[in-house]
């Protein structure tokens, strides 16, 4: 009686020979030789490949550096172009200065000095002496009035200064300031291009605004308050210096040049950056380089603005208000700084996005974590009855095209937006991330095909 072999242990799986173990010794030698040759060919590359790659890499680096430099100039050019050509932009730039305390104080001092210069204090004292004599005052009283020239001057200065301060700090002055700047915006173009005339002028390296209308308002209020000698103040034209520099001639030349190229320079910078990425051997790395290069350029421009502010304040004319000059400088470059932040944020987001689509461990873990989280949420929604059949198959089939459309729409929005701020860039980035998350949520994967049969629960045999 022969014993049957023991039944196979279900917990033990037969060990199948690997691919190399199934080969004969000769075949394994040939396979090793082929692997060695492929490795040698991949490391050596075709003849002239190393030189070709070196030339491409060098050209790509040079183009990326040029694009980074042009991005810096493009931001300045767009700002200069907006200040000169866009009236609303100019008013939005200088309008807040009307409520700036330092500017109000400087305007008050300038107008007060001009009004007092038009009032003859000695004539007022003589009028008082004559009035006292006509009223029969003793000679001693008339002499005392003559000695009151100093107190009268001090009181008059206090009266005028208080009146000017009320005019300058009123809401009406805000309206007058904004309307006046809107009317003289065309004259600003003349000032920056070196032409004279209008309410804005360039004299002795100074960009000045005529505040004569403010003197007229002060005159009316003084007369209304009962100070009749103010009625004799003539119509005067006095300047309030907005910007002063001995290099204003050079600034005019640079701004005019940037105004001419301001429309095309951003487009040229983007095209050169795209060419640098296309020419690179590793395009994803080149895209990261573009983002970091533009970000560094924006950092340099931000530091340059801070240094320019210090240099400008150190070279103010004698007697100028440093606080007011600083407020004016900050107002003029406000939107330039906003553009620097916006472009810097966009460049950093581009570099981060290019890094996250790469093969690094951090990028892979980030993508995998996001996909698993969104996939789990999708499974819960499908289990709850959300139908994603046809939509899921469509999204899976055209997934890359949908991603390209999302990025293209975001780029069009940023380019079409007039003067995008950092907030616009950040919100656009958030919306792009949400759109990609929705795309991943709708992607249900490939449907079952005959070559990949779907898993189903087996029917029990009858």
């Amino acid at each position: 009686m022969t014993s049957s072999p023991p039944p196979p242990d279900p917990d033990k799986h037969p060990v199948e020979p690997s691919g190399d173990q199934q080969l004969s010794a000769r075949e394994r030698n040939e396979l090793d030789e082929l692997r060695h040759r492929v490795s040698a060919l991949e490391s050596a590359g075709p003849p002239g490949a190393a030189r070709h790659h070196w030339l491409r890499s060098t050209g790509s680096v040079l183009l990326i550096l040029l694009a980074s430099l042009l991005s810096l100039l493009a931001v300045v050019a767009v700002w200069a172009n907006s200040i000169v050509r866009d009236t609303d932009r100019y008013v939005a730039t200088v309008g807040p200065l009307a409520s700036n305390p330092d500017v109000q104080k400087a305007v008050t001092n300038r107008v007060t000095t001009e009004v007092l210069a038009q009032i003859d204090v000695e004539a007022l004292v003589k009028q008082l002496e004559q009035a006292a004599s006509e009223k029969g005052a003793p000679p001693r009283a008339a002499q005392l009035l003559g000695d009151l020239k100093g107190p009268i001057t001090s009181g008059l200065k206090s009266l005028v200064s208080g009146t000017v301060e009320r005019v300058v700090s009123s809401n009406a002055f805000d309206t007058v300031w904004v309307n006046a700047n809107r009317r003289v915006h065309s004259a600003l173009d003349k000032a920056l291009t070196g032409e004279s005339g209008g309410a804005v002028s360039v004299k002795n390296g100074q960009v000045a605004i005529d505040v004569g209308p403010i003197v007229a308002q002060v005159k009316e209020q003084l007369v209304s308050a009962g100070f009749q000698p103010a009625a004799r103040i003539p119509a005067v034209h006095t300047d309030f210096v907005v910007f002063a520099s001995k290099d204003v001639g050079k600034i005019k030349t640079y701004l005019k040049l940037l105004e001419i190229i301001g429309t095309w320079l951003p487009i040229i910078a983007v095209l050169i950056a795209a060419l640098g990425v296309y020419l690179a051997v590793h395009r994803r790395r080149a895209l990261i380089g573009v983002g970091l290069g533009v970000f560094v350029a924006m950092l340099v421009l931000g530091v340059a603005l801070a240094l320019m502010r210090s240099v400008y304040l150190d070279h103010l004319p004698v007697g100028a208000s440093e606080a007011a000059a600083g407020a004016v400088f900050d107002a003029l470059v406000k939107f330039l700084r906003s553009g620097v932040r916006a472009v810097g944020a966009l460049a950093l987001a581009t570099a981060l996005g290019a890094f996250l689509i790469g093969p690094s461990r951090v990028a892979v873990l980030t993508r995998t974590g996001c996909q698993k989280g969104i996939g789990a949420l999708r499974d819960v929604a499908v289990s709850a009855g959300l139908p994603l059949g046809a939509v899921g198959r469509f999204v899976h089939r055209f997934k890359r095209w949908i991603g390209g459309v999302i990025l293209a729409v975001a780029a069009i929005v940023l380019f079409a937006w007039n003067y995008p701020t950092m907030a616009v860039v950040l919100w656009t980035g958030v919306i792009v991330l949400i759109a990609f998350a929705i795309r991943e949520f709708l992607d249900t994967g490939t449907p079952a095909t005959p070559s990949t049969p779907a898993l189903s629960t087996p029917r029990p045999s009858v």
Side-chain angles (χ1 to χ4, degrees), residues 378 386-399 402 438-445:
R378 179 180 59 243
L386 180 65
L388 291 178
V391 175
R393 291 190 296 271
F394 176 84
V395 172
H396 180 79
R397 182 178 180 182
F398 299 101
K399 190 172 184 178
I402 294 173
I438 294 174
R439 184 194 69 164
E440 186 65 29
F441 178 83
L442 296 176
D443 180 14
T444 56

Side-chain angles (χ1 to χ4, degrees), residues 64-115:
I64 290 174
L65 291 176
L66 178 59
S68 301
L69 176 61
L70 290 180
S71 68
L72 186 152
L73 296 177
V75 172
V76 179
V78 171
W79 166 77
N81 203 18
S82 68
I83 291 295
V84 173
R85 290 188 175 181
D86 193 336
T87 302
D88 293 334
R89 186 73 162 179
Y90 169 72
V91 172
T93 299
V94 301
L97 289 175
S99 56
N100 184 279
D102 295 322
V103 174
Q104 288 181 349
K105 183 178 180 180
V107 173
T108 298
N109 293 337
R110 183 72 184 92
V111 174
T112 299
T113 302
E114 186 63 33
V115 171

Side-chain angles (χ1 to χ4, degrees), residues 38 183 270 348:
V38 170
R183 288 194 302 269
V270 171
L348 197 58

